[in-house]
Amino acid sequence: VDIAETPEAYTLHAELPAMKKEDIKLSVEDGLLTLTGERKLEREEKNKTYHRVERSYGRFQRSFTLPSAVDEAKVVATYDNGVLNVLIPKAVPPPPKSKEIKIG
């Protein structure tokens, strides 16, 4: 997972090769972005003995604490060719409130 920042947003880039979009879940709640999924081991090859398998299989979960100045309602994600990209827009700060104080 790579996380980067621009003036407008944070971006998360995760490589999830050979995973289906349906096997990935992304959620954001109370300043926590959580990525969960499961890579299933699907082998039905007969007459083949593996000497080494370096890809990991099974369930995984990664959580990332988001800065307080993000707009959780506008988080969007795309998944294409085994790459998940998440755009986390920064919240636009409200303009400072000004109150005139009468001098007595």
Side-chain angles (χ1 to χ4, degrees):
V1 173
D2 297 331
I3 300 175
E5 179 180 4
T6 66
E8 299 82 26
Y10 297 93
T11 57
L12 181 137
H13 174 89
E15 294 180 359
L16 304 166
M19 289 197 65
K20 296 176 185 171
K21 183 169 58 171
E22 298 80 29
D23 295 331
I24 302 167
K25 181 180 176 191
L26 187 67
S27 63
V28 62
E29 184 178 353
D30 297 328
L32 192 67
L33 179 74
T34 303
L35 169 64
T36 57
E38 182 173 5
R39 179 172 290 137
K40 298 175 182 165
L41 177 62
E42 296 177 8
R43 267 196 225 144
E44 291 188 22
E45 300 175 37
K46 297 180 180 178
N47 301 322
K48 186 182 270 189
T49 302
Y50 284 90
H51 292 278
R52 179 183 300 221
V53 176
E54 293 187 349
R55 290 175 286 164
S56 59
Y57 295 92
R59 293 190 53 77
F60 65 88
Q61 177 173 326
R62 295 284 311 270
S63 295
F64 307 93
T65 302
L66 299 174
S68 59
V70 298
D71 191 346
E72 292 183 7
K74 294 183 179 177
V75 174
V76 293
T78 59
Y79 186 70
D80 188 35
N81 291 326
V83 179
L84 175 69
N85 287 298
V86 183
L87 179 68
I88 307 157
K90 292 181 178 179
V92 177
K97 294 182 181 181
S98 177
K99 178 181 175 185
E100 186 176 330
I101 301 172
K102 293 184 181 184
I103 301 173

mmCIF file of all heavy atoms in Angstrom, residues 11-52:
data_model
loop_
_atom_site.group_PDB
_atom_site.id
_atom_site.type_symbol
_atom_site.label_atom_id
_atom_site.label_comp_id
_atom_site.label_asym_id
_atom_site.label_seq_id
_atom_site.Cartn_x
_atom_site.Cartn_y
_atom_site.Cartn_z
ATOM 1 N N THR A 11 -4.274 9.972 -1.409
ATOM 2 C CA THR A 11 -4.555 8.846 -2.288
ATOM 3 C C THR A 11 -3.919 7.583 -1.707
ATOM 4 O O THR A 11 -2.822 7.628 -1.157
ATOM 5 C CB THR A 11 -4.012 9.068 -3.719
ATOM 6 O OG1 THR A 11 -2.611 9.318 -3.652
ATOM 7 C CG2 THR A 11 -4.712 10.212 -4.395
ATOM 8 N N LEU A 12 -4.635 6.507 -1.821
ATOM 9 C CA LEU A 12 -4.150 5.203 -1.381
ATOM 10 C C LEU A 12 -4.091 4.320 -2.614
ATOM 11 O O LEU A 12 -5.047 4.277 -3.397
ATOM 12 C CB LEU A 12 -5.095 4.617 -0.332
ATOM 13 C CG LEU A 12 -4.705 3.263 0.231
ATOM 14 C CD1 LEU A 12 -4.921 3.246 1.727
ATOM 15 C CD2 LEU A 12 -5.478 2.152 -0.425
ATOM 16 N N HIS A 13 -2.983 3.642 -2.791
ATOM 17 C CA HIS A 13 -2.758 2.789 -3.957
ATOM 18 C C HIS A 13 -2.361 1.409 -3.424
ATOM 19 O O HIS A 13 -1.354 1.290 -2.729
ATOM 20 C CB HIS A 13 -1.630 3.406 -4.802
ATOM 21 C CG HIS A 13 -1.196 2.574 -5.945
ATOM 22 N ND1 HIS A 13 -1.779 2.666 -7.183
ATOM 23 C CD2 HIS A 13 -0.222 1.641 -6.062
ATOM 24 C CE1 HIS A 13 -1.172 1.829 -8.002
ATOM 25 N NE2 HIS A 13 -0.232 1.193 -7.344
ATOM 26 N N ALA A 14 -3.163 0.399 -3.714
ATOM 27 C CA ALA A 14 -2.875 -0.956 -3.236
ATOM 28 C C ALA A 14 -2.880 -1.926 -4.405
ATOM 29 O O ALA A 14 -3.823 -1.935 -5.199
ATOM 30 C CB ALA A 14 -3.908 -1.385 -2.199
ATOM 31 N N GLU A 15 -1.837 -2.728 -4.488
ATOM 32 C CA GLU A 15 -1.770 -3.755 -5.521
ATOM 33 C C GLU A 15 -2.305 -5.060 -4.947
ATOM 34 O O GLU A 15 -1.793 -5.565 -3.949
ATOM 35 C CB GLU A 15 -0.333 -3.915 -6.000
ATOM 36 C CG GLU A 15 0.176 -2.678 -6.714
ATOM 37 C CD GLU A 15 1.605 -2.811 -7.190
ATOM 38 O OE1 GLU A 15 2.235 -3.857 -6.953
ATOM 39 O OE2 GLU A 15 2.087 -1.844 -7.808
ATOM 40 N N LEU A 16 -3.340 -5.568 -5.577
ATOM 41 C CA LEU A 16 -4.013 -6.787 -5.132
ATOM 42 C C LEU A 16 -4.147 -7.741 -6.319
ATOM 43 O O LEU A 16 -5.243 -7.990 -6.805
ATOM 44 C CB LEU A 16 -5.388 -6.447 -4.550
ATOM 45 C CG LEU A 16 -5.378 -5.434 -3.404
ATOM 46 C CD1 LEU A 16 -6.767 -4.907 -3.126
ATOM 47 C CD2 LEU A 16 -4.780 -6.052 -2.171
ATOM 48 N N PRO A 17 -3.027 -8.274 -6.798
ATOM 49 C CA PRO A 17 -3.075 -9.089 -8.017
ATOM 50 C C PRO A 17 -3.921 -10.343 -7.851
ATOM 51 O O PRO A 17 -3.973 -10.937 -6.780
ATOM 52 C CB PRO A 17 -1.604 -9.448 -8.257
ATOM 53 C CG PRO A 17 -0.937 -9.288 -6.950
ATOM 54 C CD PRO A 17 -1.696 -8.234 -6.206
ATOM 55 N N ALA A 18 -4.567 -10.698 -8.932
ATOM 56 C CA ALA A 18 -5.380 -11.911 -9.037
ATOM 57 C C ALA A 18 -6.570 -11.916 -8.088
ATOM 58 O O ALA A 18 -7.124 -12.968 -7.813
ATOM 59 C CB ALA A 18 -4.529 -13.164 -8.824
ATOM 60 N N MET A 19 -6.972 -10.744 -7.595
ATOM 61 C CA MET A 19 -8.150 -10.674 -6.731
ATOM 62 C C MET A 19 -9.320 -10.115 -7.522
ATOM 63 O O MET A 19 -9.152 -9.253 -8.376
ATOM 64 C CB MET A 19 -7.874 -9.807 -5.502
ATOM 65 C CG MET A 19 -6.924 -10.466 -4.539
ATOM 66 S SD MET A 19 -6.955 -9.711 -2.904
ATOM 67 C CE MET A 19 -8.609 -10.101 -2.382
ATOM 68 N N LYS A 20 -10.505 -10.612 -7.195
ATOM 69 C CA LYS A 20 -11.717 -10.107 -7.808
ATOM 70 C C LYS A 20 -12.233 -8.946 -6.967
ATOM 71 O O LYS A 20 -12.066 -8.916 -5.747
ATOM 72 C CB LYS A 20 -12.780 -11.203 -7.864
ATOM 73 C CG LYS A 20 -12.386 -12.365 -8.731
ATOM 74 C CD LYS A 20 -13.437 -13.451 -8.675
ATOM 75 C CE LYS A 20 -12.977 -14.666 -9.447
ATOM 76 N NZ LYS A 20 -13.875 -15.804 -9.242
ATOM 77 N N LYS A 21 -12.872 -8.006 -7.635
ATOM 78 C CA LYS A 21 -13.427 -6.846 -6.944
ATOM 79 C C LYS A 21 -14.405 -7.277 -5.850
ATOM 80 O O LYS A 21 -14.467 -6.660 -4.790
ATOM 81 C CB LYS A 21 -14.115 -5.939 -7.968
ATOM 82 C CG LYS A 21 -14.679 -4.668 -7.384
ATOM 83 C CD LYS A 21 -15.118 -3.660 -8.430
ATOM 84 C CE LYS A 21 -16.146 -4.168 -9.374
ATOM 85 N NZ LYS A 21 -16.707 -3.104 -10.230
ATOM 86 N N GLU A 22 -15.112 -8.370 -6.086
ATOM 87 C CA GLU A 22 -16.099 -8.854 -5.120
ATOM 88 C C GLU A 22 -15.451 -9.366 -3.831
ATOM 89 O O GLU A 22 -16.116 -9.515 -2.814
ATOM 90 C CB GLU A 22 -16.943 -9.974 -5.740
ATOM 91 C CG GLU A 22 -17.746 -9.546 -6.945
ATOM 92 C CD GLU A 22 -16.914 -9.484 -8.233
ATOM 93 O OE1 GLU A 22 -15.931 -10.229 -8.370
ATOM 94 O OE2 GLU A 22 -17.267 -8.672 -9.110
ATOM 95 N N ASP A 23 -14.157 -9.694 -3.871
ATOM 96 C CA ASP A 23 -13.461 -10.229 -2.701
ATOM 97 C C ASP A 23 -12.791 -9.139 -1.873
ATOM 98 O O ASP A 23 -12.058 -9.438 -0.926
ATOM 99 C CB ASP A 23 -12.404 -11.249 -3.136
ATOM 100 C CG ASP A 23 -13.036 -12.481 -3.769
ATOM 101 O OD1 ASP A 23 -14.183 -12.817 -3.400
ATOM 102 O OD2 ASP A 23 -12.391 -13.099 -4.631
ATOM 103 N N ILE A 24 -13.024 -7.871 -2.225
ATOM 104 C CA ILE A 24 -12.401 -6.749 -1.532
ATOM 105 C C ILE A 24 -13.489 -5.888 -0.912
ATOM 106 O O ILE A 24 -14.506 -5.603 -1.541
ATOM 107 C CB ILE A 24 -11.572 -5.889 -2.519
ATOM 108 C CG1 ILE A 24 -10.508 -6.745 -3.193
ATOM 109 C CG2 ILE A 24 -10.947 -4.699 -1.810
ATOM 110 C CD1 ILE A 24 -9.863 -6.073 -4.376
ATOM 111 N N LYS A 25 -13.266 -5.467 0.336
ATOM 112 C CA LYS A 25 -14.212 -4.575 1.014
ATOM 113 C C LYS A 25 -13.425 -3.374 1.536
ATOM 114 O O LYS A 25 -12.362 -3.532 2.135
ATOM 115 C CB LYS A 25 -14.905 -5.286 2.173
ATOM 116 C CG LYS A 25 -15.907 -4.397 2.889
ATOM 117 C CD LYS A 25 -16.575 -5.104 4.034
ATOM 118 C CE LYS A 25 -17.489 -4.130 4.766
ATOM 119 N NZ LYS A 25 -17.966 -4.679 6.019
ATOM 120 N N LEU A 26 -13.958 -2.200 1.300
ATOM 121 C CA LEU A 26 -13.339 -0.958 1.739
ATOM 122 C C LEU A 26 -14.387 -0.171 2.507
ATOM 123 O O LEU A 26 -15.509 0.003 2.026
ATOM 124 C CB LEU A 26 -12.857 -0.173 0.521
ATOM 125 C CG LEU A 26 -12.045 1.070 0.768
ATOM 126 C CD1 LEU A 26 -10.694 0.725 1.388
ATOM 127 C CD2 LEU A 26 -11.835 1.836 -0.531
ATOM 128 N N SER A 27 -14.036 0.292 3.708
ATOM 129 C CA SER A 27 -14.984 1.080 4.493
ATOM 130 C C SER A 27 -14.248 2.212 5.193
ATOM 131 O O SER A 27 -13.045 2.136 5.439
ATOM 132 C CB SER A 27 -15.710 0.195 5.516
ATOM 133 O OG SER A 27 -14.784 -0.334 6.450
ATOM 134 N N VAL A 28 -14.999 3.245 5.512
ATOM 135 C CA VAL A 28 -14.451 4.371 6.269
ATOM 136 C C VAL A 28 -15.470 4.740 7.337
ATOM 137 O O VAL A 28 -16.662 4.852 7.062
ATOM 138 C CB VAL A 28 -14.105 5.573 5.352
ATOM 139 C CG1 VAL A 28 -15.318 6.124 4.648
ATOM 140 C CG2 VAL A 28 -13.403 6.649 6.128
ATOM 141 N N GLU A 29 -14.984 4.844 8.561
ATOM 142 C CA GLU A 29 -15.868 5.172 9.679
ATOM 143 C C GLU A 29 -15.050 5.778 10.804
ATOM 144 O O GLU A 29 -14.020 5.227 11.209
ATOM 145 C CB GLU A 29 -16.584 3.905 10.177
ATOM 146 C CG GLU A 29 -17.583 4.186 11.270
ATOM 147 C CD GLU A 29 -18.329 2.936 11.714
ATOM 148 O OE1 GLU A 29 -18.176 1.869 11.096
ATOM 149 O OE2 GLU A 29 -19.047 3.027 12.718
ATOM 150 N N ASP A 30 -15.516 6.912 11.293
ATOM 151 C CA ASP A 30 -14.890 7.594 12.425
ATOM 152 C C ASP A 30 -13.384 7.778 12.244
ATOM 153 O O ASP A 30 -12.590 7.504 13.137
ATOM 154 C CB ASP A 30 -15.177 6.858 13.734
ATOM 155 C CG ASP A 30 -16.657 6.837 14.078
ATOM 156 O OD1 ASP A 30 -17.354 7.806 13.730
ATOM 157 O OD2 ASP A 30 -17.112 5.851 14.684
ATOM 158 N N GLY A 31 -12.979 8.213 11.066
ATOM 159 C CA GLY A 31 -11.576 8.501 10.816
ATOM 160 C C GLY A 31 -10.697 7.288 10.581
ATOM 161 O O GLY A 31 -9.474 7.390 10.611
ATOM 162 N N LEU A 32 -11.295 6.132 10.339
ATOM 163 C CA LEU A 32 -10.529 4.912 10.110
ATOM 164 C C LEU A 32 -10.938 4.306 8.763
ATOM 165 O O LEU A 32 -12.105 3.975 8.552
ATOM 166 C CB LEU A 32 -10.777 3.912 11.237
ATOM 167 C CG LEU A 32 -9.854 2.710 11.298
ATOM 168 C CD1 LEU A 32 -8.428 3.154 11.636
ATOM 169 C CD2 LEU A 32 -10.336 1.730 12.353
ATOM 170 N N LEU A 33 -9.968 4.175 7.864
ATOM 171 C CA LEU A 33 -10.190 3.541 6.569
ATOM 172 C C LEU A 33 -9.726 2.099 6.685
ATOM 173 O O LEU A 33 -8.583 1.841 7.065
ATOM 174 C CB LEU A 33 -9.396 4.265 5.480
ATOM 175 C CG LEU A 33 -9.503 3.697 4.075
ATOM 176 C CD1 LEU A 33 -10.863 4.033 3.467
ATOM 177 C CD2 LEU A 33 -8.396 4.233 3.199
ATOM 178 N N THR A 34 -10.616 1.152 6.382
ATOM 179 C CA THR A 34 -10.294 -0.264 6.539
ATOM 180 C C THR A 34 -10.447 -0.989 5.208
ATOM 181 O O THR A 34 -11.471 -0.889 4.545
ATOM 182 C CB THR A 34 -11.203 -0.913 7.604
ATOM 183 O OG1 THR A 34 -11.056 -0.188 8.836
ATOM 184 C CG2 THR A 34 -10.829 -2.359 7.839
ATOM 185 N N LEU A 35 -9.403 -1.721 4.854
ATOM 186 C CA LEU A 35 -9.369 -2.526 3.646
ATOM 187 C C LEU A 35 -9.299 -3.987 4.077
ATOM 188 O O LEU A 35 -8.385 -4.382 4.798
ATOM 189 C CB LEU A 35 -8.142 -2.160 2.810
ATOM 190 C CG LEU A 35 -7.777 -3.055 1.633
ATOM 191 C CD1 LEU A 35 -8.873 -3.028 0.584
ATOM 192 C CD2 LEU A 35 -6.453 -2.612 1.041
ATOM 193 N N THR A 36 -10.291 -4.783 3.680
ATOM 194 C CA THR A 36 -10.291 -6.206 4.003
ATOM 195 C C THR A 36 -10.508 -6.999 2.719
ATOM 196 O O THR A 36 -11.056 -6.498 1.744
ATOM 197 C CB THR A 36 -11.399 -6.575 5.020
ATOM 198 O OG1 THR A 36 -12.665 -6.186 4.490
ATOM 199 C CG2 THR A 36 -11.183 -5.910 6.352
ATOM 200 N N GLY A 37 -10.083 -8.222 2.749
ATOM 201 C CA GLY A 37 -10.285 -9.074 1.593
ATOM 202 C C GLY A 37 -9.824 -10.481 1.861
ATOM 203 O O GLY A 37 -9.356 -10.810 2.953
ATOM 204 N N GLU A 38 -9.984 -11.293 0.846
ATOM 205 C CA GLU A 38 -9.539 -12.676 0.949
ATOM 206 C C GLU A 38 -9.043 -13.132 -0.408
ATOM 207 O O GLU A 38 -9.752 -13.023 -1.406
ATOM 208 C CB GLU A 38 -10.676 -13.581 1.423
ATOM 209 C CG GLU A 38 -10.240 -15.013 1.584
ATOM 210 C CD GLU A 38 -11.300 -15.905 2.206
ATOM 211 O OE1 GLU A 38 -12.427 -15.435 2.437
ATOM 212 O OE2 GLU A 38 -10.993 -17.079 2.455
ATOM 213 N N ARG A 39 -7.818 -13.599 -0.420
ATOM 214 C CA ARG A 39 -7.252 -14.187 -1.631
ATOM 215 C C ARG A 39 -7.414 -15.690 -1.499
ATOM 216 O O ARG A 39 -6.879 -16.307 -0.584
ATOM 217 C CB ARG A 39 -5.781 -13.823 -1.796
ATOM 218 C CG ARG A 39 -5.203 -14.457 -3.054
ATOM 219 C CD ARG A 39 -3.818 -13.981 -3.367
ATOM 220 N NE ARG A 39 -3.904 -12.590 -3.798
ATOM 221 C CZ ARG A 39 -3.066 -11.644 -3.408
ATOM 222 N NH1 ARG A 39 -2.093 -11.923 -2.589
ATOM 223 N NH2 ARG A 39 -3.188 -10.422 -3.847
ATOM 224 N N LYS A 40 -8.187 -16.263 -2.412
ATOM 225 C CA LYS A 40 -8.496 -17.688 -2.326
ATOM 226 C C LYS A 40 -7.486 -18.500 -3.107
ATOM 227 O O LYS A 40 -7.039 -18.106 -4.182
ATOM 228 C CB LYS A 40 -9.904 -17.933 -2.843
ATOM 229 C CG LYS A 40 -10.945 -17.222 -2.005
ATOM 230 C CD LYS A 40 -12.318 -17.362 -2.585
ATOM 231 C CE LYS A 40 -13.285 -16.574 -1.715
ATOM 232 N NZ LYS A 40 -14.545 -16.369 -2.370
ATOM 233 N N LEU A 41 -7.142 -19.625 -2.563
ATOM 234 C CA LEU A 41 -6.231 -20.556 -3.224
ATOM 235 C C LEU A 41 -7.069 -21.477 -4.092
ATOM 236 O O LEU A 41 -7.869 -22.263 -3.599
ATOM 237 C CB LEU A 41 -5.437 -21.360 -2.188
ATOM 238 C CG LEU A 41 -4.488 -22.417 -2.717
ATOM 239 C CD1 LEU A 41 -3.413 -21.777 -3.585
ATOM 240 C CD2 LEU A 41 -3.835 -23.158 -1.567
ATOM 241 N N GLU A 42 -6.912 -21.332 -5.400
ATOM 242 C CA GLU A 42 -7.692 -22.143 -6.328
ATOM 243 C C GLU A 42 -6.736 -22.891 -7.243
ATOM 244 O O GLU A 42 -6.239 -22.349 -8.221
ATOM 245 C CB GLU A 42 -8.612 -21.242 -7.156
ATOM 246 C CG GLU A 42 -9.634 -20.528 -6.308
ATOM 247 C CD GLU A 42 -10.500 -19.590 -7.131
ATOM 248 O OE1 GLU A 42 -10.400 -19.621 -8.376
ATOM 249 O OE2 GLU A 42 -11.261 -18.842 -6.531
ATOM 250 N N ARG A 43 -6.467 -24.125 -6.894
ATOM 251 C CA ARG A 43 -5.568 -24.958 -7.707
ATOM 252 C C ARG A 43 -6.236 -26.278 -8.008
ATOM 253 O O ARG A 43 -6.609 -26.994 -7.106
ATOM 254 C CB ARG A 43 -4.276 -25.246 -6.937
ATOM 255 C CG ARG A 43 -3.219 -24.271 -7.228
ATOM 256 C CD ARG A 43 -1.901 -24.824 -6.764
ATOM 257 N NE ARG A 43 -1.246 -23.734 -6.083
ATOM 258 C CZ ARG A 43 -0.503 -23.839 -5.029
ATOM 259 N NH1 ARG A 43 -0.269 -24.992 -4.486
ATOM 260 N NH2 ARG A 43 0.053 -22.799 -4.490
ATOM 261 N N GLU A 44 -6.351 -26.554 -9.249
ATOM 262 C CA GLU A 44 -6.867 -27.848 -9.660
ATOM 263 C C GLU A 44 -5.956 -28.425 -10.737
ATOM 264 O O GLU A 44 -6.421 -28.963 -11.729
ATOM 265 C CB GLU A 44 -8.301 -27.700 -10.179
ATOM 266 C CG GLU A 44 -9.288 -27.340 -9.086
ATOM 267 C CD GLU A 44 -10.718 -27.396 -9.593
ATOM 268 O OE1 GLU A 44 -10.975 -28.086 -10.591
ATOM 269 O OE2 GLU A 44 -11.566 -26.757 -8.982
ATOM 270 N N GLU A 45 -4.675 -28.289 -10.544
ATOM 271 C CA GLU A 45 -3.723 -28.778 -11.525
ATOM 272 C C GLU A 45 -3.232 -30.159 -11.106
ATOM 273 O O GLU A 45 -2.681 -30.326 -10.034
ATOM 274 C CB GLU A 45 -2.550 -27.807 -11.643
ATOM 275 C CG GLU A 45 -2.981 -26.435 -12.071
ATOM 276 C CD GLU A 45 -1.845 -25.447 -12.080
ATOM 277 O OE1 GLU A 45 -0.729 -25.853 -12.450
ATOM 278 O OE2 GLU A 45 -2.077 -24.304 -11.718
ATOM 279 N N LYS A 46 -3.443 -31.113 -11.955
ATOM 280 C CA LYS A 46 -2.997 -32.469 -11.665
ATOM 281 C C LYS A 46 -1.629 -32.688 -12.278
ATOM 282 O O LYS A 46 -1.256 -32.053 -13.253
ATOM 283 C CB LYS A 46 -4.017 -33.476 -12.207
ATOM 284 C CG LYS A 46 -5.362 -33.336 -11.524
ATOM 285 C CD LYS A 46 -6.343 -34.315 -12.062
ATOM 286 C CE LYS A 46 -7.673 -34.112 -11.337
ATOM 287 N NZ LYS A 46 -8.696 -34.980 -11.806
ATOM 288 N N ASN A 47 -0.890 -33.581 -11.705
ATOM 289 C CA ASN A 47 0.445 -33.942 -12.202
ATOM 290 C C ASN A 47 1.439 -32.780 -12.141
ATOM 291 O O ASN A 47 2.342 -32.694 -12.951
ATOM 292 C CB ASN A 47 0.374 -34.489 -13.629
ATOM 293 C CG ASN A 47 -0.508 -35.705 -13.716
ATOM 294 O OD1 ASN A 47 -0.517 -36.540 -12.812
ATOM 295 N ND2 ASN A 47 -1.259 -35.805 -14.789
ATOM 296 N N LYS A 48 1.250 -31.882 -11.185
ATOM 297 C CA LYS A 48 2.175 -30.771 -11.029
ATOM 298 C C LYS A 48 2.521 -30.640 -9.553
ATOM 299 O O LYS A 48 1.649 -30.613 -8.701
ATOM 300 C CB LYS A 48 1.565 -29.464 -11.511
ATOM 301 C CG LYS A 48 2.550 -28.299 -11.514
ATOM 302 C CD LYS A 48 1.908 -27.007 -11.956
ATOM 303 C CE LYS A 48 2.031 -26.871 -13.453
ATOM 304 N NZ LYS A 48 1.618 -25.535 -13.936
ATOM 305 N N THR A 49 3.811 -30.605 -9.257
ATOM 306 C CA THR A 49 4.278 -30.436 -7.884
ATOM 307 C C THR A 49 4.932 -29.073 -7.768
ATOM 308 O O THR A 49 5.861 -28.761 -8.505
ATOM 309 C CB THR A 49 5.312 -31.523 -7.512
ATOM 310 O OG1 THR A 49 4.699 -32.802 -7.690
ATOM 311 C CG2 THR A 49 5.762 -31.369 -6.080
ATOM 312 N N TYR A 50 4.443 -28.252 -6.842
ATOM 313 C CA TYR A 50 5.028 -26.929 -6.631
ATOM 314 C C TYR A 50 6.200 -27.052 -5.674
ATOM 315 O O TYR A 50 6.102 -27.680 -4.628
ATOM 316 C CB TYR A 50 3.987 -25.967 -6.045
ATOM 317 C CG TYR A 50 3.000 -25.489 -7.075
ATOM 318 C CD1 TYR A 50 1.822 -26.196 -7.315
ATOM 319 C CD2 TYR A 50 3.234 -24.341 -7.808
ATOM 320 C CE1 TYR A 50 0.915 -25.760 -8.261
ATOM 321 C CE2 TYR A 50 2.337 -23.901 -8.756
ATOM 322 C CZ TYR A 50 1.183 -24.614 -8.971
ATOM 323 O OH TYR A 50 0.297 -24.177 -9.909
ATOM 324 N N HIS A 51 7.308 -26.449 -6.023
ATOM 325 C CA HIS A 51 8.475 -26.433 -5.158
ATOM 326 C C HIS A 51 8.538 -25.154 -4.335
ATOM 327 O O HIS A 51 9.179 -25.121 -3.293
ATOM 328 C CB HIS A 51 9.760 -26.573 -5.988
ATOM 329 C CG HIS A 51 9.864 -27.928 -6.618
ATOM 330 N ND1 HIS A 51 10.324 -29.023 -5.932
ATOM 331 C CD2 HIS A 51 9.532 -28.361 -7.859
ATOM 332 C CE1 HIS A 51 10.294 -30.082 -6.735
ATOM 333 N NE2 HIS A 51 9.809 -29.705 -7.914
ATOM 334 N N ARG A 52 7.895 -24.122 -4.814
ATOM 335 C CA ARG A 52 7.865 -22.867 -4.070
ATOM 336 C C ARG A 52 6.613 -22.093 -4.466
ATOM 337 O O ARG A 52 6.299 -21.974 -5.635
ATOM 338 C CB ARG A 52 9.088 -22.014 -4.388
ATOM 339 C CG ARG A 52 9.078 -20.685 -3.642
ATOM 340 C CD ARG A 52 10.252 -19.854 -4.031
ATOM 341 N NE ARG A 52 11.466 -20.577 -3.697
ATOM 342 C CZ ARG A 52 12.527 -20.025 -3.170
ATOM 343 N NH1 ARG A 52 12.546 -18.742 -2.927
ATOM 344 N NH2 ARG A 52 13.592 -20.738 -2.897
#
